[in-house]
Amino acid sequence: MKRTLLFFTIVLLFAGEYITLDNGKVIELKPDGTWHEVKVIKKGSDTIVLKPDGTWEKVEAKKIEAANKLETAVDKKYKDEPLVKTLLGKWEGDGIFMEFEPSSAKIKIKKGHTNRVIEGKWIVENLDEKNKIVTVNIGEGARLGFLTFGGEIRKIKIKDNNTIVDKTDAIEGKVYTLYRKR
């Protein structure tokens, strides 16, 4: 009896929580703070989770929660700011292209002979009006409180209505100047 109780306690301690992201993917949040993507399949009335390490587990369908992406009051405020609205449109620079629409964004960055593409919903993480810097997160899968899953943070300085500077990789010596594309 003690062995069975110990086994179930260990299973409960190491069992993860499954969350369906806005993009339909399911992740397992582990108690140690890490996470990984899993595949969920239905077989009859059973819900089975296939893990990246090849293991699987039966779970109750109700244990797989949908992540609600809440738009915070701060994010709503930022989206209406004139500095943020300046980003809307198409931008192009040497080896980089950006396109901001009201609800989605796309960035292509040339890396050697290939293009790195980042796309999806975008939100404003921070707005520094004094220095005219807008920090955005593009392609975020989900947000649970202060935790975000996926996405790319970009730090963009607004020079004027026709010029922006992506300072995200300034530490590596890469600063991109982009001009509004008509």
Side-chain angles (χ1 to χ4, degrees):
M1 177 69 178
K2 284 184 181 179
R3 275 184 155 166
T4 306
L5 185 58
L6 178 63
F7 173 75
F8 284 116
T9 303
I10 289 172
V11 167
L12 287 175
L13 284 174
F14 291 100
E17 182 178 344
Y18 299 100
I19 299 195
T20 305
L21 303 177
D22 288 346
N23 61 9
K25 294 181 180 181
V26 178
I27 60 169
E28 178 184 15
L29 297 176
K30 295 181 172 186
D32 66 359
T34 61
W35 64 276
H36 60 253
E37 188 177 337
V38 296
K39 187 170 192 136
V40 177
I41 56 173
K42 295 283 263 175
K43 182 167 168 99
S45 62
D46 293 333
T47 301
I48 299 170
V49 173
L50 303 174
K51 299 182 180 186
D53 64 2
T55 60
W56 61 275
E57 145 183 38
K58 266 191 202 180
V59 295
E60 295 176 40
K62 65 182 181 185
K63 296 249 179 186
I64 299 176
E65 300 175 22
N68 294 321
K69 183 168 167 58
L70 301 174
E71 188 173 44
T72 65
V74 172
D75 186 45
K76 286 180 187 175
K77 173 188 154 207
Y78 284 155
K79 286 281 181 136
D80 292 333
E81 291 291 324
L83 203 58
V84 175
K85 286 185 174 183
T86 302
L87 288 176
L88 295 175
K90 294 179 181 180
W91 301 86
E92 195 164 16
D94 189 26
I96 188 168
F97 169 83
M98 291 185 181
E99 181 177 7
F100 288 92
E101 294 178 358
S103 61
S104 65
K106 182 177 188 174
I107 297 178
K108 284 187 203 176
I109 301 173
K110 189 152 181 75
K111 296 271 184 176
H113 296 293
T114 62
N115 285 321
R116 181 167 172 251
V117 178
I118 306 143
E119 60 186 322
K121 294 178 184 177
W122 67 285
I123 64 164
V124 178
E125 293 286 341
N126 192 28
L127 180 62
D128 178 352
E129 290 186 57
K130 180 182 174 194
N131 295 311
K132 295 186 173 185
I133 296 175
V134 180
T135 306
V136 297
N137 187 340
I138 300 168
E140 177 181 279
R143 177 179 292 265
L144 298 172
F146 63 89
L147 291 175
T148 61
F149 297 92
E152 171 99 3
I153 302 288
R154 305 302 297 182
K155 194 172 189 176
I156 302 169
K157 180 172 181 71
I158 310 293
K159 288 284 201 176
D160 57 46
N161 284 339
N162 294 309
T163 311
I164 61 174
V165 177
D166 185 335
K167 301 174 78 166
T168 306
D169 301 323
I171 293 175
E172 299 169 15
K174 296 177 188 169
V175 177
Y176 301 101
T177 300
L178 296 94
Y179 302 96
R180 187 174 298 278
K181 194 173 173 189
R182 304 230 182 255

